[in-house]
Amino acid sequence: MSEVQKKPILPITIHVILWGFIAAFPLIFLYSEGNRDFMRFIDFTLPLLVLMIVFYANYSFLISRFLFRKKVWQFFLVNVLLFAVCILLLQGIKLYVFEPYFQRMEVMKPFHPRGKAREILFFRDILSMSLVVGLAVAIRMTMQWYQSQAEQKELEKLHIESGLNNLKHQLNPHFLFNTLNNI
């Protein structure tokens, strides 16, 4: 059994620490002109939640279901569909929840144009989801490689042990026969 399977606490701890660090990063931007703006924090962390969905959908299900079975096109198409659903969900939440809030806030402030911001955010979301899928594939492939290496070493060990046992069995009858001849 591989080290990763023997100690499931370590990968879980690494995931929790990494995602916790990434989720805490927007806290730097939480202060908006001296005031705490938790709606802005939620606006920053919403794409993170979408990235977590994409990562764990690939990490736990899609990679082993499609990629390891050499169904690359199906893996690609399912990820495109997952991206589309996540982006529609993200854009819908931003449009119906965050836009009214930020428009009320901008009434109190000078107007800042948002012309191409949606297009930039759209491409940012696609790029970040693609990078997260690549990271999930890299981690899963590395784990699969370590597991296959451990299995290969175990098979080599069993092969050497069986060869040694075979030599012992060949040696025992000769030893017994030679002893009888000497007597």
Side-chain angles (χ1 to χ4, degrees):
M1 196 172 240
S2 70
E3 289 293 318
V4 175
Q5 289 177 345
K6 287 181 185 175
K7 300 176 184 176
I9 291 269
L10 182 64
I12 292 170
T13 306
I14 290 171
H15 285 256
V16 168
I17 290 172
L18 182 66
W19 287 112
F21 177 74
I22 293 171
F25 186 70
L27 287 172
I28 296 169
F29 304 106
L30 183 62
Y31 290 97
S32 174
E33 297 174 2
N35 299 324
R36 290 185 180 196
D37 191 356
F38 285 104
M39 194 67 149
R40 189 172 163 170
F41 174 71
I42 294 170
D43 185 34
F44 277 128
T45 56
L46 187 64
L48 174 68
L49 294 174
V50 170
L51 291 178
M52 288 174 73
I53 291 169
V54 170
F55 178 84
Y56 286 110
N58 277 282
Y59 183 78
S60 6
F61 180 71
L62 297 177
I63 294 171
S64 59
R65 178 86 174 202
F66 296 110
L67 204 56
F68 285 161
R69 294 181 183 173
K70 300 190 188 323
K71 298 177 181 178
V72 178
W73 282 106
Q74 291 170 341
F75 176 75
F76 178 74
L77 290 175
V78 169
N79 268 302
V80 167
L81 181 65
L82 180 64
F83 286 9
V85 168
C86 287
I87 287 175
L88 286 174
L89 180 69
L90 188 63
Q91 294 301 322
I93 291 172
K94 284 187 178 242
L95 181 66
Y96 293 113
V97 176
F98 294 114
E99 282 296 321
Y101 174 77
F102 288 127
Q103 284 176 353
R104 279 182 287 173
M105 295 300 288
E106 287 177 357
V107 168
M108 296 182 264
K109 298 183 209 175
F111 179 69
H112 299 289
R114 292 186 169 199
K116 298 253 179 187
R118 283 198 177 117
E119 293 174 11
I120 292 171
L121 292 176
F122 176 75
F123 288 116
R124 178 207 65 181
D125 291 341
I126 288 177
L127 179 64
S128 58
M129 284 188 229
S130 300
L131 291 174
V132 164
V133 169
L135 180 65
V137 168
I139 291 171
R140 250 341 230 188
M141 290 287 199
T142 304
M143 287 176 56
Q144 182 77 14
W145 182 77
Y146 277 123
Q147 186 177 13
S148 68
Q149 289 295 318
E151 289 173 358
Q152 182 70 25
K153 285 182 182 180
E154 185 69 26
L155 286 174
E156 287 175 6
K157 181 181 171 186
L158 288 174
H159 180 70
I160 290 171
E161 286 177 3
S162 67
L164 184 61
N165 285 337
N166 188 21
L167 286 174
K168 283 180 183 178
H169 290 298
Q170 287 176 358
L171 182 68
N172 283 340
H174 290 291
F175 179 73
L176 181 63
F177 183 71
N178 288 338
T179 306
L180 286 175
N181 278 340
N182 287 337
I183 291 176

PDB file of all heavy atoms in Angstrom, residues 33-54:
ATOM      1  N   GLU A  33     -11.653  51.935   1.871  1.00  0.00           N
ATOM      2  CA  GLU A  33     -11.639  53.308   2.365  1.00  0.00           C
ATOM      3  C   GLU A  33     -11.861  53.347   3.880  1.00  0.00           C
ATOM      4  O   GLU A  33     -12.627  54.136   4.401  1.00  0.00           O
ATOM      5  CB  GLU A  33     -12.704  54.136   1.645  1.00  0.00           C
ATOM      6  CG  GLU A  33     -12.432  54.239   0.163  1.00  0.00           C
ATOM      7  CD  GLU A  33     -13.551  54.935  -0.575  1.00  0.00           C
ATOM      8  OE1 GLU A  33     -14.528  55.366   0.062  1.00  0.00           O
ATOM      9  OE2 GLU A  33     -13.443  55.028  -1.795  1.00  0.00           O
ATOM     10  N   GLY A  34     -11.209  52.436   4.582  1.00  0.00           N
ATOM     11  CA  GLY A  34     -11.274  52.439   6.036  1.00  0.00           C
ATOM     12  C   GLY A  34     -12.445  51.669   6.617  1.00  0.00           C
ATOM     13  O   GLY A  34     -12.503  51.469   7.817  1.00  0.00           O
ATOM     14  N   ASN A  35     -13.399  51.264   5.817  1.00  0.00           N
ATOM     15  CA  ASN A  35     -14.563  50.537   6.323  1.00  0.00           C
ATOM     16  C   ASN A  35     -14.472  49.071   5.935  1.00  0.00           C
ATOM     17  O   ASN A  35     -13.982  48.738   4.860  1.00  0.00           O
ATOM     18  CB  ASN A  35     -15.863  51.112   5.738  1.00  0.00           C
ATOM     19  CG  ASN A  35     -16.055  52.558   6.115  1.00  0.00           C
ATOM     20  OD1 ASN A  35     -15.696  52.960   7.218  1.00  0.00           O
ATOM     21  ND2 ASN A  35     -16.603  53.334   5.200  1.00  0.00           N
ATOM     22  N   ARG A  36     -14.968  48.234   6.784  1.00  0.00           N
ATOM     23  CA  ARG A  36     -15.009  46.810   6.447  1.00  0.00           C
ATOM     24  C   ARG A  36     -16.194  46.579   5.516  1.00  0.00           C
ATOM     25  O   ARG A  36     -17.307  46.982   5.795  1.00  0.00           O
ATOM     26  CB  ARG A  36     -15.182  45.953   7.691  1.00  0.00           C
ATOM     27  CG  ARG A  36     -13.962  45.959   8.539  1.00  0.00           C
ATOM     28  CD  ARG A  36     -14.121  45.030   9.671  1.00  0.00           C
ATOM     29  NE  ARG A  36     -12.897  45.084  10.451  1.00  0.00           N
ATOM     30  CZ  ARG A  36     -12.556  44.207  11.333  1.00  0.00           C
ATOM     31  NH1 ARG A  36     -13.345  43.204  11.604  1.00  0.00           N
ATOM     32  NH2 ARG A  36     -11.439  44.316  11.986  1.00  0.00           N
ATOM     33  N   ASP A  37     -15.907  45.902   4.429  1.00  0.00           N
ATOM     34  CA  ASP A  37     -16.943  45.647   3.438  1.00  0.00           C
ATOM     35  C   ASP A  37     -16.978  44.138   3.181  1.00  0.00           C
ATOM     36  O   ASP A  37     -16.255  43.629   2.332  1.00  0.00           O
ATOM     37  CB  ASP A  37     -16.632  46.415   2.156  1.00  0.00           C
ATOM     38  CG  ASP A  37     -17.791  46.417   1.192  1.00  0.00           C
ATOM     39  OD1 ASP A  37     -18.806  45.763   1.479  1.00  0.00           O
ATOM     40  OD2 ASP A  37     -17.677  47.069   0.149  1.00  0.00           O
ATOM     41  N   PHE A  38     -17.803  43.414   3.952  1.00  0.00           N
ATOM     42  CA  PHE A  38     -17.849  41.961   3.843  1.00  0.00           C
ATOM     43  C   PHE A  38     -18.480  41.508   2.528  1.00  0.00           C
ATOM     44  O   PHE A  38     -18.204  40.424   2.048  1.00  0.00           O
ATOM     45  CB  PHE A  38     -18.592  41.350   5.035  1.00  0.00           C
ATOM     46  CG  PHE A  38     -17.765  41.371   6.279  1.00  0.00           C
ATOM     47  CD1 PHE A  38     -18.015  42.299   7.277  1.00  0.00           C
ATOM     48  CD2 PHE A  38     -16.704  40.493   6.441  1.00  0.00           C
ATOM     49  CE1 PHE A  38     -17.241  42.329   8.416  1.00  0.00           C
ATOM     50  CE2 PHE A  38     -15.922  40.517   7.579  1.00  0.00           C
ATOM     51  CZ  PHE A  38     -16.193  41.442   8.571  1.00  0.00           C
ATOM     52  N   MET A  39     -19.324  42.339   1.949  1.00  0.00           N
ATOM     53  CA  MET A  39     -19.903  41.991   0.647  1.00  0.00           C
ATOM     54  C   MET A  39     -18.798  41.947  -0.405  1.00  0.00           C
ATOM     55  O   MET A  39     -18.811  41.094  -1.284  1.00  0.00           O
ATOM     56  CB  MET A  39     -20.974  43.008   0.278  1.00  0.00           C
ATOM     57  CG  MET A  39     -21.835  42.551  -0.844  1.00  0.00           C
ATOM     58  SD  MET A  39     -22.810  41.126  -0.315  1.00  0.00           S
ATOM     59  CE  MET A  39     -24.237  41.364  -1.273  1.00  0.00           C
ATOM     60  N   ARG A  40     -17.842  42.828  -0.268  1.00  0.00           N
ATOM     61  CA  ARG A  40     -16.694  42.819  -1.182  1.00  0.00           C
ATOM     62  C   ARG A  40     -15.844  41.565  -0.963  1.00  0.00           C
ATOM     63  O   ARG A  40     -15.353  40.969  -1.910  1.00  0.00           O
ATOM     64  CB  ARG A  40     -15.870  44.078  -0.949  1.00  0.00           C
ATOM     65  CG  ARG A  40     -14.807  44.284  -1.947  1.00  0.00           C
ATOM     66  CD  ARG A  40     -14.177  45.628  -1.765  1.00  0.00           C
ATOM     67  NE  ARG A  40     -12.909  45.630  -2.454  1.00  0.00           N
ATOM     68  CZ  ARG A  40     -12.184  46.700  -2.652  1.00  0.00           C
ATOM     69  NH1 ARG A  40     -12.602  47.851  -2.216  1.00  0.00           N
ATOM     70  NH2 ARG A  40     -11.041  46.609  -3.274  1.00  0.00           N
ATOM     71  N   PHE A  41     -15.683  41.158   0.300  1.00  0.00           N
ATOM     72  CA  PHE A  41     -14.959  39.928   0.610  1.00  0.00           C
ATOM     73  C   PHE A  41     -15.657  38.718  -0.012  1.00  0.00           C
ATOM     74  O   PHE A  41     -15.015  37.854  -0.604  1.00  0.00           O
ATOM     75  CB  PHE A  41     -14.831  39.745   2.129  1.00  0.00           C
ATOM     76  CG  PHE A  41     -14.232  38.433   2.521  1.00  0.00           C
ATOM     77  CD1 PHE A  41     -12.890  38.180   2.303  1.00  0.00           C
ATOM     78  CD2 PHE A  41     -15.017  37.442   3.091  1.00  0.00           C
ATOM     79  CE1 PHE A  41     -12.332  36.966   2.665  1.00  0.00           C
ATOM     80  CE2 PHE A  41     -14.469  36.233   3.450  1.00  0.00           C
ATOM     81  CZ  PHE A  41     -13.123  35.990   3.242  1.00  0.00           C
ATOM     82  N   ILE A  42     -16.971  38.678   0.094  1.00  0.00           N
ATOM     83  CA  ILE A  42     -17.728  37.570  -0.503  1.00  0.00           C
ATOM     84  C   ILE A  42     -17.599  37.612  -2.015  1.00  0.00           C
ATOM     85  O   ILE A  42     -17.484  36.572  -2.665  1.00  0.00           O
ATOM     86  CB  ILE A  42     -19.206  37.615  -0.052  1.00  0.00           C
ATOM     87  CG1 ILE A  42     -19.290  37.339   1.451  1.00  0.00           C
ATOM     88  CG2 ILE A  42     -20.050  36.617  -0.820  1.00  0.00           C
ATOM     89  CD1 ILE A  42     -20.643  37.584   2.051  1.00  0.00           C
ATOM     90  N   ASP A  43     -17.581  38.815  -2.579  1.00  0.00           N
ATOM     91  CA  ASP A  43     -17.386  38.958  -4.022  1.00  0.00           C
ATOM     92  C   ASP A  43     -16.017  38.431  -4.447  1.00  0.00           C
ATOM     93  O   ASP A  43     -15.874  37.833  -5.509  1.00  0.00           O
ATOM     94  CB  ASP A  43     -17.536  40.427  -4.416  1.00  0.00           C
ATOM     95  CG  ASP A  43     -17.466  40.643  -5.913  1.00  0.00           C
ATOM     96  OD1 ASP A  43     -17.938  39.754  -6.663  1.00  0.00           O
ATOM     97  OD2 ASP A  43     -16.944  41.680  -6.349  1.00  0.00           O
ATOM     98  N   PHE A  44     -15.003  38.614  -3.610  1.00  0.00           N
ATOM     99  CA  PHE A  44     -13.670  38.086  -3.906  1.00  0.00           C
ATOM    100  C   PHE A  44     -13.611  36.565  -3.742  1.00  0.00           C
ATOM    101  O   PHE A  44     -12.914  35.884  -4.475  1.00  0.00           O
ATOM    102  CB  PHE A  44     -12.612  38.715  -2.997  1.00  0.00           C
ATOM    103  CG  PHE A  44     -12.114  40.043  -3.458  1.00  0.00           C
ATOM    104  CD1 PHE A  44     -12.105  41.113  -2.594  1.00  0.00           C
ATOM    105  CD2 PHE A  44     -11.640  40.229  -4.737  1.00  0.00           C
ATOM    106  CE1 PHE A  44     -11.646  42.348  -2.999  1.00  0.00           C
ATOM    107  CE2 PHE A  44     -11.169  41.447  -5.162  1.00  0.00           C
ATOM    108  CZ  PHE A  44     -11.178  42.518  -4.288  1.00  0.00           C
ATOM    109  N   THR A  45     -14.300  36.041  -2.746  1.00  0.00           N
ATOM    110  CA  THR A  45     -14.195  34.601  -2.460  1.00  0.00           C
ATOM    111  C   THR A  45     -15.135  33.747  -3.293  1.00  0.00           C
ATOM    112  O   THR A  45     -14.938  32.534  -3.369  1.00  0.00           O
ATOM    113  CB  THR A  45     -14.452  34.314  -0.968  1.00  0.00           C
ATOM    114  OG1 THR A  45     -15.726  34.839  -0.602  1.00  0.00           O
ATOM    115  CG2 THR A  45     -13.366  34.879  -0.108  1.00  0.00           C
ATOM    116  N   LEU A  46     -16.123  34.325  -3.926  1.00  0.00           N
ATOM    117  CA  LEU A  46     -17.034  33.549  -4.771  1.00  0.00           C
ATOM    118  C   LEU A  46     -16.300  32.851  -5.917  1.00  0.00           C
ATOM    119  O   LEU A  46     -16.517  31.652  -6.133  1.00  0.00           O
ATOM    120  CB  LEU A  46     -18.168  34.435  -5.297  1.00  0.00           C
ATOM    121  CG  LEU A  46     -19.279  33.708  -6.051  1.00  0.00           C
ATOM    122  CD1 LEU A  46     -19.997  32.751  -5.119  1.00  0.00           C
ATOM    123  CD2 LEU A  46     -20.240  34.713  -6.638  1.00  0.00           C
ATOM    124  N   PRO A  47     -15.414  33.527  -6.647  1.00  0.00           N
ATOM    125  CA  PRO A  47     -14.649  32.794  -7.668  1.00  0.00           C
ATOM    126  C   PRO A  47     -13.788  31.681  -7.068  1.00  0.00           C
ATOM    127  O   PRO A  47     -13.585  30.640  -7.694  1.00  0.00           O
ATOM    128  CB  PRO A  47     -13.768  33.873  -8.310  1.00  0.00           C
ATOM    129  CG  PRO A  47     -14.489  35.139  -8.068  1.00  0.00           C
ATOM    130  CD  PRO A  47     -15.163  34.980  -6.748  1.00  0.00           C
ATOM    131  N   LEU A  48     -13.310  31.866  -5.846  1.00  0.00           N
ATOM    132  CA  LEU A  48     -12.548  30.821  -5.177  1.00  0.00           C
ATOM    133  C   LEU A  48     -13.405  29.575  -4.959  1.00  0.00           C
ATOM    134  O   LEU A  48     -12.942  28.449  -5.174  1.00  0.00           O
ATOM    135  CB  LEU A  48     -12.003  31.326  -3.844  1.00  0.00           C
ATOM    136  CG  LEU A  48     -11.315  30.285  -2.979  1.00  0.00           C
ATOM    137  CD1 LEU A  48     -10.021  29.833  -3.637  1.00  0.00           C
ATOM    138  CD2 LEU A  48     -11.072  30.814  -1.600  1.00  0.00           C
ATOM    139  N   LEU A  49     -14.639  29.773  -4.551  1.00  0.00           N
ATOM    140  CA  LEU A  49     -15.538  28.629  -4.360  1.00  0.00           C
ATOM    141  C   LEU A  49     -15.788  27.900  -5.679  1.00  0.00           C
ATOM    142  O   LEU A  49     -15.835  26.667  -5.718  1.00  0.00           O
ATOM    143  CB  LEU A  49     -16.859  29.088  -3.741  1.00  0.00           C
ATOM    144  CG  LEU A  49     -16.763  29.629  -2.317  1.00  0.00           C
ATOM    145  CD1 LEU A  49     -18.099  30.182  -1.867  1.00  0.00           C
ATOM    146  CD2 LEU A  49     -16.270  28.564  -1.369  1.00  0.00           C
ATOM    147  N   VAL A  50     -15.911  28.661  -6.749  1.00  0.00           N
ATOM    148  CA  VAL A  50     -16.092  28.049  -8.068  1.00  0.00           C
ATOM    149  C   VAL A  50     -14.838  27.262  -8.458  1.00  0.00           C
ATOM    150  O   VAL A  50     -14.926  26.149  -8.981  1.00  0.00           O
ATOM    151  CB  VAL A  50     -16.446  29.124  -9.121  1.00  0.00           C
ATOM    152  CG1 VAL A  50     -16.405  28.558 -10.517  1.00  0.00           C
ATOM    153  CG2 VAL A  50     -17.824  29.706  -8.821  1.00  0.00           C
ATOM    154  N   LEU A  51     -13.670  27.814  -8.174  1.00  0.00           N
ATOM    155  CA  LEU A  51     -12.420  27.101  -8.467  1.00  0.00           C
ATOM    156  C   LEU A  51     -12.311  25.821  -7.647  1.00  0.00           C
ATOM    157  O   LEU A  51     -11.826  24.800  -8.141  1.00  0.00           O
ATOM    158  CB  LEU A  51     -11.216  28.003  -8.203  1.00  0.00           C
ATOM    159  CG  LEU A  51     -11.029  29.179  -9.139  1.00  0.00           C
ATOM    160  CD1 LEU A  51      -9.827  30.012  -8.719  1.00  0.00           C
ATOM    161  CD2 LEU A  51     -10.892  28.723 -10.573  1.00  0.00           C
ATOM    162  N   MET A  52     -12.776  25.865  -6.406  1.00  0.00           N
ATOM    163  CA  MET A  52     -12.765  24.661  -5.575  1.00  0.00           C
ATOM    164  C   MET A  52     -13.685  23.596  -6.163  1.00  0.00           C
ATOM    165  O   MET A  52     -13.339  22.409  -6.183  1.00  0.00           O
ATOM    166  CB  MET A  52     -13.178  24.996  -4.144  1.00  0.00           C
ATOM    167  CG  MET A  52     -12.139  25.765  -3.367  1.00  0.00           C
ATOM    168  SD  MET A  52     -12.705  26.286  -1.743  1.00  0.00           S
ATOM    169  CE  MET A  52     -12.696  24.714  -0.884  1.00  0.00           C
ATOM    170  N   ILE A  53     -14.839  24.011  -6.659  1.00  0.00           N
ATOM    171  CA  ILE A  53     -15.766  23.064  -7.289  1.00  0.00           C
ATOM    172  C   ILE A  53     -15.111  22.429  -8.507  1.00  0.00           C
ATOM    173  O   ILE A  53     -15.148  21.208  -8.692  1.00  0.00           O
ATOM    174  CB  ILE A  53     -17.091  23.773  -7.666  1.00  0.00           C
ATOM    175  CG1 ILE A  53     -17.869  24.146  -6.410  1.00  0.00           C
ATOM    176  CG2 ILE A  53     -17.934  22.898  -8.588  1.00  0.00           C
ATOM    177  CD1 ILE A  53     -19.047  25.065  -6.666  1.00  0.00           C
ATOM    178  N   VAL A  54     -14.489  23.241  -9.343  1.00  0.00           N
ATOM    179  CA  VAL A  54     -13.825  22.728 -10.549  1.00  0.00           C
ATOM    180  C   VAL A  54     -12.672  21.805 -10.169  1.00  0.00           C
ATOM    181  O   VAL A  54     -12.518  20.716 -10.743  1.00  0.00           O
ATOM    182  CB  VAL A  54     -13.334  23.897 -11.446  1.00  0.00           C
ATOM    183  CG1 VAL A  54     -12.442  23.398 -12.559  1.00  0.00           C
ATOM    184  CG2 VAL A  54     -14.522  24.655 -12.013  1.00  0.00           C
TER     185      VAL A  54
END
